[in-house]
């Protein structure tokens, strides 16, 4: 048996023996026994009262002192209480860490009660869904999130597919809502900002529409000529040559478009080059001037080149050839006959610069920020008539990005334009 219990039994036996002894001596055994056991009960009740007081208000003071079995009982209770409070501290620490993590999440998180009231929300819920914690605690979510389709979605109870809504505070922001029921009919509402994804999807749709549109015209023309030729029994050689020349022109147009598309896709998907070669830009530009003179043909542009032959550029020859030829061809195509085109390759204070200056038609300021967007043209008919695909400057932008360089455009309507490719020092080599 437990030693503490033995001690209590021993005290009771002692009280009984002493009561009997003094009871026999005094002739009042029952009174003496009642006094002895009454004293014991009072002592026990005092410990119980102390324990009860301490349990009611543990912060008020230390555990009451006691000896014997009561002391052991107090010690055990003290241990249990300490364990429970340590566990509670651990749990509240864990809860605080979870709340901090959920608060820092870029997605909106809202916890709803069984009745659909807001119980908790993180910081992103304010920016994405307009729900402010703790201000909106207890408010019905449906009263705050009044966007089309959300009430039906919440009440339908089928949450396998997310719902896309626009943020109530900012119509430009698109949010994908996903609801997860948990516990006893509570709900976790998560909102993810999908604006970038939606924009990408929109861009993809525009891109496919643009490519189809660009291919449709030459294909229709080609198809028309083939059909006409099939129906003809006889044709003069002169007419046939004329038809074939138009068909050739249209097929070249498609070829240019496909080439530019392939180039763009290569630039976008290829990983950045780790191996770069020093490219002799002066020699590259010399060959590009010859091509530009051919392209200029009867328009006889005055094309001049000023290039520092000792200045080499670390990069990809093929990509730089494509970017520079696009800029030079544009200058030829958008400069009236006899106009001047100046090409320069020179060092700058912090790197080097390739610039093409023309005395062409120039570009109005509102178009300049959009020129590097795919298929953006100031004058679509003019661009197509001169063999443009609308992708040239997009290619230039991507090539320059891959060479840590930037494109600067200065232009004045009726005066001409300057397109400059600005390269940083780490890309330039003297030799
Ligand atoms: P495109 O094939 O139509 O020339 P680009 O991407 O090369 O496509 O150029 C986009 C648009 O920028 C052109 O359609 C044209 O309107 C304008 N542009 C480009 N270069 C020049 C220039 N040197 N002078 C005037 N306008 C230019």
């Amino acid at each position: 048996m437990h030693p503490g219990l033995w001690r209590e039994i021993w005290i009771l036996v002692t009280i009984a023996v002493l009561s009997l002894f003094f009871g026999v001596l005094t002739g009042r055994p029952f009174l003496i026994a009642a006094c002895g056991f009454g004293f014991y009960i009072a002592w026990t009740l005092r410990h119980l009262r102390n324990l009860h007081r301490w349990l009611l208000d543990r912060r008020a003071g230390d555990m009451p002192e006691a000896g014997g079995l009561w002391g052991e009982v107090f010690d055990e209770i003290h241990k249990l209480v300490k364990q429970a409070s340590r566990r509670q501290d651990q749990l509240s620490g864990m809860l605080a860490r979870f709340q901090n993590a959920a608060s820092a999440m870029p997605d909106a998180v809202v916890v709803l009660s069984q009745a659909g009231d807001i119980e908790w929300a993180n910081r992103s819920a304010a920016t994405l869904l307009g729900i402010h914690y703790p201000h909106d605690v207890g408010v019905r979510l449906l009263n705050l999130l009044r966007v089309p389709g959300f009430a039906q979605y919440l009440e339908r109870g089928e949450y396998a597919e997310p719902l896309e809504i626009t943020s109530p505070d900012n119509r430009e922001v698109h949010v994908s809502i996903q609801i997860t029921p948990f516990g006893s009919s509570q709900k976790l509402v998560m909102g993810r900002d999908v604006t970038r994804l939606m924009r990408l999807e929109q861009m993809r749709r525009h891109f496919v529409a643009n490519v189809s549109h660009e291919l449709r015209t030459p294909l229709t023309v080609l198809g028309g000529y083939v059909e006409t030729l099939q129906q003809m029994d006889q044709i003069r050689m002169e007419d046939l040559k004329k038809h074939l020349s138009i068909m050739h022109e249209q097929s070249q147009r498609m070829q240019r478009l496909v080439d530019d598309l392939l180039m763009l896709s290569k630039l976008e998907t290829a990983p950045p080059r780790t191996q770069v070669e020093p490219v002799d830009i002066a020699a590259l530009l010399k060959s590009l001037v010859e091509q530009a003179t051919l392209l200029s043909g009867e328009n006889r542009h005055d094309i001049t080149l000023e290039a520092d032959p000792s200045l080499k550029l670390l990069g990809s020859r093929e990509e730089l050839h494509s970017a520079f030829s696009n800029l030079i061809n544009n200058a030829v195509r958008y400069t009236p006959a006899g106009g001047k085109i100046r090409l320069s390759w020179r060092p700058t204070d912090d790197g080097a610069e390739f610039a093409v200056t023309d005395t062409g038609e120039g570009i109005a300021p509102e178009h300049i920020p959009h020129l590097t967007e795919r298929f953006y043209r100031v004058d679509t008919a003019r661009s197509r008539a001169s063999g443009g695909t609308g992708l040239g400057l997009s290619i230039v932008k991507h090539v320059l990005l891959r060479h840590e360089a930037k494109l600067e455009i200065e232009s004045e309507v009726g005066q001409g334009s300057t397109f400059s490719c600005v390269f940083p020092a780490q890309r330039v080599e003297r030799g």
Side-chain angles (χ1 to χ4, degrees), residues 114-140:
Q114 284 179 344
D117 301 339
I118 294 162
E119 281 187 342
W120 185 83
N122 69 351
R123 277 196 296 271
S124 303
T127 43
L128 294 178
L129 304 175
I131 292 161
H132 301 265
Y133 179 81
H135 180 266
D136 295 330
V137 168
V139 180
R140 271 185 71 110

Side-chain angles (χ1 to χ4, degrees), residues 19-86:
S19 304
L20 196 70
F21 176 71
F22 286 110
V24 171
L25 269 187
T26 56
R28 291 188 171 163
F30 288 112
L31 182 69
I32 298 290
C35 285
F37 286 113
F39 182 76
Y40 180 81
I41 290 167
W43 178 75
T44 306
L45 283 175
R46 193 171 149 266
H47 283 317
L48 262 179
R49 188 202 60 190
N50 286 348
L51 179 63
H52 186 237
R53 267 195 201 154
W54 182 79
L55 283 175
L56 283 182
D57 187 7
R58 265 172 277 159
R59 277 163 304 169
D62 290 340
M63 188 82 189
E65 291 285 334
L69 188 59
W70 278 107
E72 284 175 30
V73 169
F74 284 3
D75 282 351
E76 283 308 313
I77 291 177
H78 193 224
K79 257 191 244 161
L80 283 175
V81 167
K82 256 171 104 177
Q83 261 175 19
S85 113
R86 216 176 304 133

Side-chain angles (χ1 to χ4, degrees), residues 125-430:
T127 43
L128 294 178
L129 304 175
I131 292 161
H132 301 265
Y133 179 81
H135 180 266
D136 295 330
V137 168
V139 180
R140 271 185 71 110
L141 180 64
L142 281 177
N143 291 348
L144 286 180
L145 205 54
R146 291 173 177 276
V147 288
F150 182 67
Q152 294 91 312
Y153 179 69
L154 185 67
E155 266 145 29
R156 208 172 44 230
E158 284 167 23
Y159 307 127
E161 288 296 315
L163 172 79
E164 249 138 55
I165 60 165
T166 49
S167 166
D169 284 355
N170 185 353
R171 313 236 102 234
E172 301 279 298
V173 175
H174 296 268
V175 183
S176 168
I177 298 269
Q178 182 89 59
I179 295 179
T180 314
F182 73 100
S184 47
S185 309
Q186 284 174 284
K187 289 185 185 90
L188 186 72
V189 182
M190 305 265 291
R192 171 163 297 177
D193 185 347
V194 288
T195 318
R196 218 176 83 84
L197 273 178
M198 297 272 281
R199 282 210 193 112
L200 280 175
E201 176 57 19
Q202 202 177 29
M203 264 170 64
R204 191 191 63 79
R205 262 186 266 136
H206 280 165
F207 181 70
V208 172
N210 273 324
V211 173
S212 320
H213 185 73
E214 291 293 327
L215 284 172
R216 201 165 52 203
T217 319
L219 271 175
T220 314
V221 176
L222 267 178
Y225 274 98
V226 170
E227 221 176 284
T228 317
L229 287 173
Q230 273 174 337
Q231 283 162 9
M232 283 176 145
D233 294 328
Q234 278 185 337
I235 184 166
R236 282 193 304 151
M237 204 52 190
E238 204 180 312
D239 289 339
L240 180 65
K241 275 192 177 163
K242 219 163 79 190
H243 290 340
L244 286 176
S245 141
I246 295 172
M247 288 166 78
H248 182 230
E249 204 178 283
Q250 296 303 323
S251 71
Q252 274 191 323
R253 187 169 152 189
M254 288 196 290
Q255 183 68 52
R256 272 196 304 274
L257 182 68
V258 172
D259 286 348
D260 278 0
L261 284 171
L262 284 175
M263 183 70 191
L264 253 186
S265 124
K266 213 164 99 182
L267 289 170
E268 278 180 347
T269 51
R273 279 172 185 256
T274 44
Q275 293 241 304
V276 286
E277 46 172 334
V279 183
D280 184 347
I281 298 294
L284 174 78
L285 290 175
K286 231 171 121 193
S287 76
L288 286 178
V289 167
E290 282 165 24
Q291 284 177 26
T293 313
L294 273 178
L295 180 69
S296 169
E298 289 181 0
N299 288 331
R300 294 184 182 283
H301 291 100
D302 171 12
I303 306 173
T304 54
L305 167 66
E306 228 176 86
D308 184 337
S310 66
L311 209 57
K312 305 281 188 303
L313 188 62
L314 296 174
S316 149
R317 190 178 191 285
E318 185 202 353
E319 291 177 16
L320 292 166
H321 179 280
S322 170
F324 293 174
S325 80
N326 267 306
L327 291 176
I328 299 170
N329 289 354
N330 277 357
V332 173
R333 287 166 42 230
Y334 297 108
T335 302
K340 289 193 177 105
I341 295 167
R342 304 261 164 273
L343 311 181
S344 69
W345 168 239
R346 57 180 192 86
T348 58
D349 289 345
D350 41 13
E353 181 189 87
F354 165 65
V356 186
T357 303
D358 63 53
T359 54
E361 58 200 49
I363 308 155
E366 65 270 23
H367 294 295
I368 291 180
H370 303 289
L371 292 183
T372 55
E373 290 170 15
R374 294 166 193 179
F375 296 111
Y376 189 90
R377 288 132 154 168
V378 177
D379 178 345
T380 308
R382 169 108 174 70
S383 153
R384 286 205 186 121
S386 62
T389 58
L391 296 172
L393 292 181
S394 297
I395 292 176
V396 174
K397 182 181 91 175
H398 276 91
V399 170
L400 294 189
L401 264 178
R402 287 165 65 82
H403 287 80
E404 299 158 276
K406 57 180 194 285
L407 178 68
E408 287 175 0
I409 307 170
E410 279 172 39
S411 190
E412 210 175 310
V413 176
Q415 298 295 311
S417 320
T418 298
F419 287 76
S420 315
C421 307
V422 185
F423 295 90
Q426 68 266 25
R427 286 278 174 177
V428 182
E429 205 177 77
R430 284 250 173 220

